[in-house]
């Protein structure tokens, strides 16, 4: 049986911020044109949104849409595996929404502190054979477009997305194949700072049998043809990258109705 937790809204810390968010939502539903929808639907994380309103709307999605829209129960990965093999992942559990201090390693939380952590959403998936497990997460931030762009540049320029000491934490789930998925079992990971939304998407993968991995490898390296590391040979780079990519797509698909023009 799948273990899921209802994602709950939290009390806003500033009444003015709440009023601004509501105003942005109303304006977004009525005024946003097709250009912003195009960047979301095309899956182009480098594309700039057409207006600040559409950007602000995305910040509220963590508590304003059903959990199945953010973390679909089943993810299809056509040609997403090693050698172009098709993959399918099933959701094991969704964690309660929480702050960065509970969901992220302290060093990673420190690295993203400049953009402000609003909330973290996490879910764990397993592949069709139940031999691998992957935790995928979304960090919703308080930052504006410029601050997110600066963090994106820093992560790519300084290689922060490939540092093992900044690897995201796993979300183990008692009573499931992910029961033993902890820090020592992490094998491959990816971190993506989005440019078109105040969100950071990450994923970290490992073996479902709970084996420890002494030399975890970034997904980009583990996916290189001919790579011989344990994570590479097991396709764990493809697992992390494939699931993160589809959760990012689900996020854009969820945001699209608020940015598409009415007919």
């Amino acid at each position: 049986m799948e273990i899921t937790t209802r994602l709950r809204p939290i009390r806003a810390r500033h009444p003015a911020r709440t009023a601004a968010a509501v105003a942005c939502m109303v304006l977004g539903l009525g005024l946003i044109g097709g250009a912003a929808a195009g960047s979301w639907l095309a899956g182009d994380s480098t594309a700039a949104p057409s207006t600040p309103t559409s950007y602000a709307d995305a910040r509220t999605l963590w508590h304003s849409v059903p959990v199945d829209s953010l973390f679909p129960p089943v993810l299809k990965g056509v040609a997403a595996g090693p050698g172009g093999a098709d993959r399918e992942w099933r959701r094991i559990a969704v964690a309660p929404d929480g702050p960065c201090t509970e969901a992220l390693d302290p060093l990673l939380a420190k690295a993203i502190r400049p953009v402000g952590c609003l909330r973290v959403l996490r879910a764990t998936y397993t592949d069709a054979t139940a031999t691998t497990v992957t935790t995928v997460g979304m960090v919703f931030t308080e930052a504006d477009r410029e601050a997110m762009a600066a963090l994106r540049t820093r992560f790519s320029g300084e290689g922060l997305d490939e540092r093992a000491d900044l690897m995201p934490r796993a979300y183990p789930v008692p009573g499931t194949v992910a029961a033993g998925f902890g820090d020592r079992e992490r094998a491959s990971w990816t971190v993506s700072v989005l440019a078109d939304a105040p969100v950071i998407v990450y994923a970290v993968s490992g073996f479902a049998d709970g084996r420890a991995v002494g030399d975890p490898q970034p997904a980009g390296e583990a996916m290189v043809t001919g790579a011989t590391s344990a994570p590479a040979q097991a396709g764990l780079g493809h697992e992390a990258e494939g699931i993160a990519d589809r959760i990012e797509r689900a996020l854009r698909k969820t945001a699209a109705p608020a940015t598409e023009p009415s007919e």
Side-chain angles (χ1 to χ4, degrees):
M1 179 181 295
E2 184 189 3
I3 304 171
T4 58
T5 301
R6 181 180 177 84
L7 301 179
R8 54 182 175 79
I10 58 173
R11 185 180 299 276
R13 289 173 291 182
H14 300 291
R17 181 175 296 169
T18 301
V22 173
C24 287
M25 180 66 74
V26 173
L27 289 172
L29 291 173
L31 301 178
I32 302 306
S39 65
W40 279 105
L41 295 174
D44 180 6
S45 62
T46 64
S50 62
T51 71
T53 303
S54 62
Y55 194 91
D57 287 345
R59 186 176 290 112
T60 70
L61 295 177
W62 70 270
H63 65 75
S64 62
V65 298
V67 64
D68 286 355
S69 296
L70 295 174
F71 296 116
V74 178
L75 298 173
K76 300 287 188 178
V78 178
D86 293 343
R87 308 292 287 167
E88 180 177 293
W89 302 281
R90 294 188 177 275
R91 193 180 68 196
I92 299 174
V94 177
D97 60 271
C100 279
T101 53
E102 295 180 3
L104 303 179
D105 180 85
L107 195 57
L108 179 57
K110 181 179 179 180
I112 67 175
R113 189 176 299 161
V115 296
C117 174
L118 182 62
R119 218 65 179 164
V120 180
L121 308 185
R122 297 174 294 163
T124 293
Y125 287 79
T126 187
D127 69 312
T129 62
T131 57
T132 67
V133 287
T134 301
T135 292
V136 59
M138 289 182 281
V139 180
F140 287 78
T141 79
E142 301 173 335
D144 58 19
R145 193 188 318 172
E146 289 72 21
M148 289 296 290
L151 184 68
R152 179 182 174 88
T153 298
R154 185 186 174 209
F155 260 70
S156 59
E158 299 179 18
L160 300 185
D161 53 346
E162 297 182 347
R163 281 178 45 173
D165 58 347
L166 294 177
M167 185 169 27
R169 280 180 172 167
Y171 171 52
V173 187
T176 73
V177 294
F181 189 29
D183 288 350
R184 297 176 65 249
E185 291 71 38
R186 295 174 296 179
S188 190
W189 76 96
T190 182
V191 178
S192 177
V193 180
L194 305 189
D196 54 357
V199 182
I200 300 168
V201 177
Y202 68 83
V204 57
S205 61
F207 296 99
D209 59 9
R211 78 183 75 172
V213 179
D215 187 21
Q217 192 173 33
E221 295 181 9
M223 294 171 64
V224 173
T225 302
T228 59
S229 66
Q233 292 186 336
L236 290 172
H238 290 79
E239 299 290 292
E241 185 67 35
I243 290 178
D245 175 70
R246 278 141 189 87
I247 293 302
E248 191 173 323
R249 293 185 192 181
L251 177 65
R252 289 191 168 91
K253 183 177 180 180
T254 299
T259 59
E260 289 177 342
S262 59
E263 296 182 356

